[in-house]
Amino acid sequence: MRILKDSVIYLAGELFAKSLPFLMLPYLTRKLGPEGFGELSYYLTWLILFGIFIGLSQDGAVTRYFYFYGKKALNTVVTAGYLYNIVISAILLLGCWIFNAEIMAYIVLATMFQSFVNVQLSLRQCQKQPLKYITIQIILSLTNVTFTIAALEWFQDELVAYRVLAIVVANALTFFIASMVLGNLFLNENRVTPKRLKLAALYIFSFGVPLILHQSSFFVKGQLDRLFIYEQYSKAELGIYSAGVQVAAVLPIILMALNKAILPYYYQKLKDQTLSIETIKKYTLLCIPFCIIPSLIGFVLPESIYIWFLGENYAESKYYVVMYLLGYGANLPYLILVNYFFFYGKNMLISKITLISSVVYIIFLFMFSMRSIELIPYALLVSNLVLLVALWWGVKYVSEK
């Protein structure tokens, strides 16, 4: 009952928080047009890439630390992560200043504050505080939408740059609010010292560095296509493509919300040795038929629905919605399997598996993108199939260890 209650809270909160930016999608597609929306998608791709190195999976490191070691010295781990974040962001900002890359500087700042917010969310998640978790999410969404609309209505030129700047302000304000309502999370006697900071930094690097390859692999599968399209096709075609992908992105948001609710109990059962590998594999197989249902729903919806939502210039986006709903559906069995690896700290094995699927993706992306933009979604389908098969056999390897 506790799992069900938290799942409902997480899902309702996540859907409400994510629905606001999603509902802003028609506003952005019309305000920016296909070309402007395509350019925005290009820059947001860089935000995700910077997030791999600036964030260094600190949110995951915090969650795992809490379940393995408790609250003791958790404040030192968080502080060490923040210091690393600031240093690496400062280096990237210096590079932006040297090359006079204004929008890229905004991207770095947005990524820095987003990483801070992600750590705050992890602190609430691992303590099983869904109400505080979704409150932060809602604040982030409200400020994001508010500042974006204000900026795009107030200014007439360089709208893409002002959209990115609005993200910076929203992330920064949300982090400030989340930090102020942190509460009595840490034990007061565990004060931060240079020695403890060094140990905490080593922990973060040992957890996060192996996952750079893992995160990069998902960047390749989730964002590299935009860079290919940006170079080979028009901005308008990229805009139509990206609009369809963003509509389909609702599915992984729902799946991640469910995962966040279940994860604490998933880890607890693994810790208590009441969740077997046979049970994990059983649920993985049972969920596979459900993966195609969202895509079928997207297919039966008439094209007029997509035109009404996105605008008359985005009729072709339906095809990409259907295809990516099918590709994103694989996230459900993936999450069931990969959480097992994360619990036992098999980050390098995860990275190797995702690297294999990413190489497969790059090969097919290159082949398909040379022929037609419509073939690009098939690269994700093929690579996800490889990923699931590799994880299935990898779970057996971890359990035998």
Side-chain angles (χ1 to χ4, degrees), residues 2 6 46 68 116 140-141 151 153 218 283 290 294 323 375:
R2 178 68 184 274
D6 285 0
W46 284 98
F68 266 76
F116 289 158
L140 180 61
S141 297
E153 292 299 324
F218 275 91
Y283 283 112
F290 294 95
M323 294 302 299
L375 293 176

Side-chain angles (χ1 to χ4, degrees), residues 299-350:
F299 178 76
V300 299
L301 288 177
E303 193 174 272
S304 57
I305 297 294
Y306 296 91
I307 295 176
W308 168 79
F309 184 70
L310 295 172
E312 60 182 11
N313 296 321
Y314 296 87
E316 298 175 13
S317 294
K318 175 182 178 178
Y319 171 78
Y320 300 110
V321 173
V322 174
M323 294 302 299
Y324 276 96
L325 281 175
L326 186 60
Y328 290 147
N331 284 6
L332 180 57
Y334 163 79
L335 290 170
I336 294 175
L337 291 172
V338 81
N339 287 332
Y340 184 84
F341 290 81
F342 280 127
F343 180 80
Y344 287 105
K346 301 299 181 180
N347 296 350
M348 186 56 71
L349 181 57
I350 295 173

Side-chain angles (χ1 to χ4, degrees), residues 253-272:
I253 289 173
I254 295 174
L255 296 178
M256 287 303 298
L258 291 172
N259 184 63
K260 288 180 183 295
I262 296 172
L263 189 61
Y265 303 94
Y266 186 107
Y267 278 3
Q268 190 65 51
K269 287 185 176 294
L270 286 175
K271 186 176 182 180
D272 298 338

Side-chain angles (χ1 to χ4, degrees), residues 113-114 117 140 167-177:
F113 286 112
Q114 182 62 60
V117 172
L140 180 61
I167 296 175
V168 175
V169 178
N171 289 351
L173 182 59
T174 302
F175 170 65
F176 175 77
I177 295 174

Side-chain angles (χ1 to χ4, degrees), residues 54-63 78 81-82 84-85 115 119 122 204:
I54 293 177
L56 204 65
S57 301
Q58 292 176 42
D59 50 341
V62 167
T63 301
V78 174
Y82 284 172
Y84 163 80
N85 191 323
S115 177
V119 171
S122 292
I204 290 175

Side-chain angles (χ1 to χ4, degrees), residues 74-299:
L74 183 59
N75 58 331
T76 308
V77 174
V78 174
T79 303
Y82 284 172
L83 290 175
Y84 163 80
N85 191 323
I86 293 171
V87 170
I88 194 68
S89 298
I91 294 173
L92 290 173
L93 287 173
L94 179 61
C96 293
W97 177 73
I98 293 174
F99 292 102
N100 196 27
E102 181 182 356
I103 298 183
M104 284 298 181
Y106 296 156
I107 292 293
V108 172
L109 290 172
T111 307
M112 179 182 73
F113 286 112
Q114 182 62 60
S115 177
F116 289 158
V117 172
N118 288 341
V119 171
Q120 292 293 320
L121 290 170
S122 292
L123 291 171
R124 272 63 179 194
Q125 179 191 359
C126 60
Q127 291 186 107
K128 302 176 184 177
Q129 296 178 346
L131 291 178
K132 290 185 178 180
Y133 179 95
I134 64 173
T135 298
I136 297 174
Q137 287 279 53
I138 291 173
I139 292 172
L140 180 61
S141 297
L142 286 174
T143 53
N144 197 312
V145 171
T146 301
F147 290 128
T148 295
I149 295 177
L152 298 190
E153 292 299 324
W154 183 267
F155 299 99
Q156 301 300 321
D157 300 320
E158 299 182 0
L159 296 184
V160 172
Y162 284 111
R163 161 58 177 158
V164 177
L165 187 57
I167 296 175
V168 175
V169 178
N171 289 351
L173 182 59
T174 302
F175 170 65
F176 175 77
I177 295 174
S179 300
M180 294 299 293
V181 298
L182 186 58
N184 187 24
L185 175 64
F186 305 122
L187 298 178
N188 295 328
E189 60 267 23
N190 293 311
R191 63 186 183 88
V192 177
T193 64
K195 182 178 180 180
R196 287 176 177 172
L197 272 178
K198 181 180 178 180
L199 291 174
L202 289 174
Y203 167 75
I204 290 175
F205 291 142
S206 65
F207 183 91
V209 170
L211 287 177
I212 289 179
L213 187 60
H214 173 69
Q215 297 290 346
S216 298
S217 298
F218 275 91
F219 170 81
V220 166
K221 294 175 64 176
Q223 304 296 325
L224 189 63
D225 52 349
R226 321 295 166 82
L227 301 183
F228 268 73
I229 296 172
Y230 189 82
E231 295 296 331
Q232 299 184 48
Y233 299 91
S234 67
K235 291 181 180 179
E237 288 176 299
L238 175 57
I240 293 171
Y241 176 93
S242 298
V245 174
Q246 288 199 31
V247 172
V250 172
L251 179 58
I253 289 173
I254 295 174
L255 296 178
M256 287 303 298
L258 291 172
N259 184 63
K260 288 180 183 295
I262 296 172
L263 189 61
Y265 303 94
Y266 186 107
Y267 278 3
Q268 190 65 51
K269 287 185 176 294
L270 286 175
K271 186 176 182 180
D272 298 338
Q273 298 183 344
T274 57
L275 180 62
S276 66
I277 188 60
E278 289 76 18
T279 302
I280 292 174
K281 286 190 170 185
K282 173 185 174 183
Y283 283 112
T284 301
L285 290 175
L286 288 175
C287 76
I288 289 179
F290 294 95
C291 296
I292 64 173
I293 294 178
S295 182
L296 291 175
I297 294 174
F299 178 76

